[in-house]
Amino acid sequence: MLIDKDTAIYASFAKQAGNNGCVLFNNAFEFYKLNAIYKSFSTDNIMAAVEAARTLDIKGFAVTMPYKADILKHVDDHSEEVDKIGAANTVTNKDGHLKAYNTDYLAAKTILSDAPKKPLYILGDGGYSKAVQYAARLIGLEYEIIKRSNWGDIGNIQDSIVYNCTPEERIKISCSNNFIDCLVNSVTGRRLGKIQAGHQFELYTGEPAPQGIFCR
């Protein structure tokens, strides 16, 4: 694809940029022959990143931990689910009007709906955790939140679903549990990422997410 003055730019803002979004979205843009590119950026200042998106007319962008709650201070509007969750991971830019959405809960809802019917323990209480909590409520799942104050309780959990919503790696749990990990280097994390990114693509472009690239 030839990049020119009319090429639409999409992005993600993270503490440490990754390549997954670049691969998914640029392949999807190529699938539809859209004049668009996707680029991930590392930033320590989400406010400055949002202002850059406004200035450069970036058409849409994702935000990752730890910016999912803070991003709401820097947008013009947000969707109904964001009101209920209190966090967002997706922003669209329509003629300079920035609107925040949450597609994390849609991915969490899919994963939890497919999981065995067991007690649910959610690790962490940040922006991503709030999306998982919302998804659990939508499908009628009761849950318990494990925070730093009771982190030691993880070792006592048996025959349950443990959903990691933190940046922690190498979490030790009983093998009797089903472990859902949000980290992108895990099997479940990759699936979660593809599901939520598919919903982002539809918000950005209005086109159905190509199923050979994204997941359901």
Side-chain angles (χ1 to χ4, degrees):
M1 184 194 74
L2 177 66
I3 297 174
D4 59 23
K5 65 181 181 61
D6 296 318
T7 302
I9 302 172
Y10 296 86
S12 63
F13 298 130
K15 276 280 189 182
Q16 183 62 50
N19 283 320
N20 290 343
C22 297
V23 173
L24 292 173
F25 282 94
N26 286 316
N27 282 339
F29 294 150
E30 177 63 25
F31 177 86
Y32 279 110
K33 304 302 180 187
L34 299 177
N35 187 8
I37 60 169
Y38 188 99
K39 170 74 170 66
S40 57
F41 295 91
S42 300
T43 182
D44 289 320
N45 189 330
I46 192 61
M47 181 176 70
V50 172
E51 287 309 305
R54 287 187 191 272
T55 300
L56 298 174
D57 194 29
I58 291 176
K59 300 299 184 183
F61 57 90
V63 292
T64 67
M65 293 187 287
Y67 302 128
K68 295 187 178 191
D70 195 39
I71 188 64
L72 300 185
K73 303 173 187 175
H74 309 298
V75 298
D76 305 309
D77 192 11
H78 37 77
S79 61
E80 182 179 350
E81 81 274 0
V82 170
D83 285 331
K84 296 177 179 178
I85 295 168
N89 71 318
T90 307
V91 178
T92 59
N93 181 1
K94 305 294 186 184
D95 299 319
H97 184 84
L98 302 186
K99 184 171 181 177
Y101 298 84
N102 193 301
T103 65
D104 283 329
Y105 90 92
L106 294 168
K109 183 181 175 184
T110 298
I111 292 286
L112 288 172
S113 296
D114 291 344
K117 303 307 179 189
K118 295 181 177 183
L120 172 62
Y121 291 84
I122 299 173
L123 310 187
D125 197 27
Y128 182 73
S129 172
K130 287 177 170 52
V132 175
Q133 294 170 43
Y134 179 63
R137 291 195 297 272
L138 286 178
I139 57 180
L141 294 180
E142 295 185 359
Y143 56 86
E144 183 175 333
I145 300 173
I146 304 293
K147 304 181 183 180
R148 291 297 173 194
S149 58
N150 62 335
W151 194 257
D153 293 347
I154 294 173
N156 300 323
I157 300 172
Q158 301 285 330
D159 196 27
S160 299
I161 299 170
V162 179
Y163 199 135
N164 179 34
C165 300
T166 77
E168 293 292 329
E169 300 182 21
R170 295 183 295 277
I171 295 172
K172 294 182 179 180
I173 63 170
S174 167
C175 61
S176 68
N177 296 305
N178 292 84
F179 188 49
I180 301 172
D181 196 347
C182 74
L183 299 183
V184 296
N185 58 357
S186 69
V187 173
T188 51
R190 285 189 289 272
R191 185 181 176 210
L192 286 163
K194 286 185 176 182
I195 295 170
Q196 69 82 22
H199 291 288
Q200 286 179 327
F201 182 83
E202 293 178 10
L203 285 170
Y204 292 155
T205 67
E207 300 285 357
Q211 291 308 293
I213 298 171
F214 299 101
C215 293
R216 283 293 185 189

